[in-house]
Amino acid sequence: MRDLPEQFSQFGEARQQGFMKVKKVKEAGGKVAGIFCTFTPVEILDAAGFTAVSLCGMSGETIPAAEAHLPKNLCPLIKSSYGFAVSDKCPYTYFSDLIVAESTCDGKKKMYELLDKIRPTYVLHLPQGLAGDALEKWKNELIRFIAFLEDRFDVKITEEALRKAARERNEERKSRLALMELQKLTPPPAKGYDLYKALEGSGFVFESSQRINQLNDLRESIEAAYRDGQGKVKASDRRILVTGCPIGGVLNKTVKLIEENGGVVTCFENCSGIKAAYQMVNAEADDIVGAIAERYLGIGCSVMTPNDIRIDHLKKLVEEYKIDGVVEIDLQCCTPYNVESFTVKNEMKKLSIPYIQIETDYSESDSGQLSTRLEAFLETI
């Protein structure tokens, strides 16, 4: 087996160079918007001339700083995100003209009140379900956001600019999907850990066409290696679907452990995977703001109730990716996902798909226990 395609390393370099790129954007008079969540309508930021950057929040190193202001029994993602801001250890936060937040959970909403004292923070109020006039309310929320940006930053967000941004973001989503869908092959051509890191790294490439080209180049390299019989996965490795919370802060002690114990993560349903990549904006719709609103409201996150979109999509993914087992990775104190895990477990039971839920945080204290549980789970498949 040869080394990973060199394109994988480009994304690591992109992350390392991302801070300097954002600094150059600022020096050139550009505007930077820090974002946290896949519900953030990046098309609006693109159309307003902002460079959207994902803020730091996937490490436990800043949690002690956050706990000076926040309760200890709070989601580690929330504490890490706030910790990076309050300790001034995230250059993206430092360079942000605005942080765009979203009301996806109560812990986040209250944290954003504190964050606003550090950097200007705008909260988008997301409906918590799809029933009734939810779509109209969400569209009105986006209209309010557009008006705020135009007034605060003296910009004009045109319909033409929104359509252009929607088309570009759709192309990027198609490239991400095409890369992830390579894993439908038997055996999958790449380790899930490597694929996740590449997708994560693409977020630190700020020029749209460059992101798309690198994703496409990586897909073509993996395909070429696979055709040459130089894939990275054994035919005997069990095909695992990972679902649940954002996992960037626990990747090493979960996904890496799965793949060290006879599994291969064939599909990520999480936020950084397929969950928010397959929905496209209808860029030709008469009402472009309504089309953007509809696209984002269709993300199957557990904050929605009921969350039939996620459950139906999980069942579809299990079939399409020929999944042998499902691992749900939930962060401690994330009530929506931890409660919804009961429903996911029952649905997998109906499909006769082995399922395990892991509840963890950003510390390494449970690594040994997780290794034992995951090894035992994979042996049962």
Side-chain angles (χ1 to χ4, degrees):
M1 294 184 181
R2 73 182 184 187
D3 292 337
L4 293 170
E6 67 178 28
Q7 281 84 352
F8 269 118
S9 65
Q10 291 180 4
F11 292 99
E13 293 169 7
R15 182 168 187 168
Q16 295 166 17
Q17 298 170 5
F19 296 148
M20 294 306 299
K21 290 181 179 179
V22 169
K23 182 174 181 290
K24 289 179 180 179
V25 168
K26 292 290 293 180
E27 289 173 343
K31 299 181 292 295
V32 175
I35 64 175
F36 288 111
C37 183
T38 52
F39 278 107
T40 306
V42 288
E43 289 85 355
I44 293 175
L45 293 170
D46 293 345
F50 279 83
T51 295
V53 298
S54 293
L55 299 180
C56 309
M58 295 297 177
S59 169
E61 68 172 295
T62 63
I63 286 180
E67 289 179 342
H69 300 173
L70 299 173
K72 294 183 183 298
N73 61 335
L74 188 65
C75 164
L77 175 58
I78 298 174
K79 291 191 291 184
S80 177
S81 300
Y82 181 74
F84 271 104
V86 76
S87 63
D88 206 22
K89 288 187 176 181
C90 180
Y92 294 138
T93 303
Y94 176 80
F95 287 122
S96 292
D97 296 278
L98 179 71
I99 293 175
V100 183
E102 76 309 314
S103 60
T104 46
C105 80
D106 290 342
K108 276 187 174 183
K109 286 187 292 188
K110 301 309 291 183
M111 182 269 281
Y112 293 146
E113 294 177 8
L114 303 182
L115 185 61
D116 185 50
K117 301 180 186 303
I118 301 171
R119 298 300 297 166
T121 302
Y122 184 97
V123 179
L124 289 159
H125 295 280
L126 180 76
Q128 302 295 287
L130 303 178
D133 60 352
L135 178 57
E136 189 65 23
K137 287 182 177 178
W138 181 228
K139 174 189 167 183
N140 288 335
E141 187 68 9
L142 300 193
I143 291 172
R144 183 175 73 93
F145 181 44
I146 290 171
F148 167 82
L149 292 174
E150 290 183 326
D151 179 65
R152 177 72 174 268
F153 296 97
D154 192 25
V155 297
K156 181 63 178 176
I157 301 174
T158 66
E159 183 176 304
E160 179 182 356
L162 288 170
R163 293 186 190 280
K164 179 178 182 292
R167 294 187 188 104
E168 290 178 351
R169 289 290 179 172
N170 282 347
E171 287 305 309
E172 180 185 341
R173 291 172 188 127
K174 290 173 184 176
S175 294
R176 291 175 68 89
L177 275 176
L179 177 58
M180 289 185 279
E181 287 176 349
L182 286 179
Q183 296 293 84
K184 292 181 180 181
L185 294 170
T186 304
K191 289 287 190 178
Y193 181 89
D194 297 324
L195 197 60
Y196 187 97
K197 295 298 286 185
L199 289 167
E200 182 184 66
S202 70
F204 300 95
V205 179
F206 302 123
E207 208 283 314
S208 177
S209 62
Q210 186 181 357
R211 281 197 305 270
I212 293 169
N213 288 338
Q214 287 194 5
L215 289 165
N216 291 340
D217 288 347
L218 177 57
R219 174 178 51 79
E220 292 169 4
S221 295
I222 294 174
E223 286 180 312
Y226 194 75
R227 286 195 300 268
D228 291 343
Q230 297 173 333
K232 307 299 294 184
V233 179
K234 298 176 184 177
S236 60
D237 287 345
R238 273 80 82 195
R239 303 170 67 92
I240 301 300
L241 180 148
V242 166
T243 185
C245 294
I247 59 172
V250 298
L251 200 66
N252 287 341
K253 66 175 183 177
T254 55
V255 172
K256 184 172 279 190
L257 280 174
I258 290 170
E259 299 192 326
E260 288 175 348
N261 286 286
V264 55
V265 178
T266 308
C267 179
F268 291 96
E269 187 269 343
N270 316 66
C271 299
S272 297
I274 289 180
K275 184 194 297 294
Y278 71 94
Q279 310 93 336
M280 303 294 165
V281 175
N282 180 3
E284 314 311 320
D286 292 338
D287 179 3
I288 185 60
V289 177
I292 293 171
E294 185 174 10
R295 184 263 167 196
Y296 282 90
L297 205 57
I299 295 174
C301 179
S302 67
V303 300
M304 294 294 177
T305 185
N307 190 18
D308 296 334
I309 292 176
R310 179 190 177 209
I311 302 305
D312 292 343
H313 195 221
L314 277 171
K315 291 188 284 188
K316 181 181 178 182
L317 292 173
V318 164
E319 180 180 358
E320 289 184 355
Y321 285 80
K322 300 180 281 291
I323 296 301
D324 297 317
V326 170
V327 177
E328 173 142 0
I329 303 170
D330 294 331
L331 297 176
Q332 288 179 0
C333 302
C334 182
T335 304
Y337 273 104
N338 278 303
V339 171
E340 196 165 276
S341 66
F342 180 77
T343 301
V344 175
K345 177 181 179 180
N346 285 340
E347 291 298 328
M348 293 305 109
K349 185 176 181 180
K350 293 175 186 176
L351 298 175
S352 299
I353 298 294
Y355 167 93
I356 185 173
Q357 186 215 15
I358 289 169
E359 186 178 353
T360 188
D361 61 12
Y362 285 2
S363 74
E364 293 298 319
S365 61
D366 60 349
S367 294
Q369 180 192 58
L370 291 182
S371 180
T372 300
R373 290 185 64 201
L374 287 170
E375 184 177 5
F377 173 71
L378 289 163
E379 286 177 353
T380 66
I381 300 176

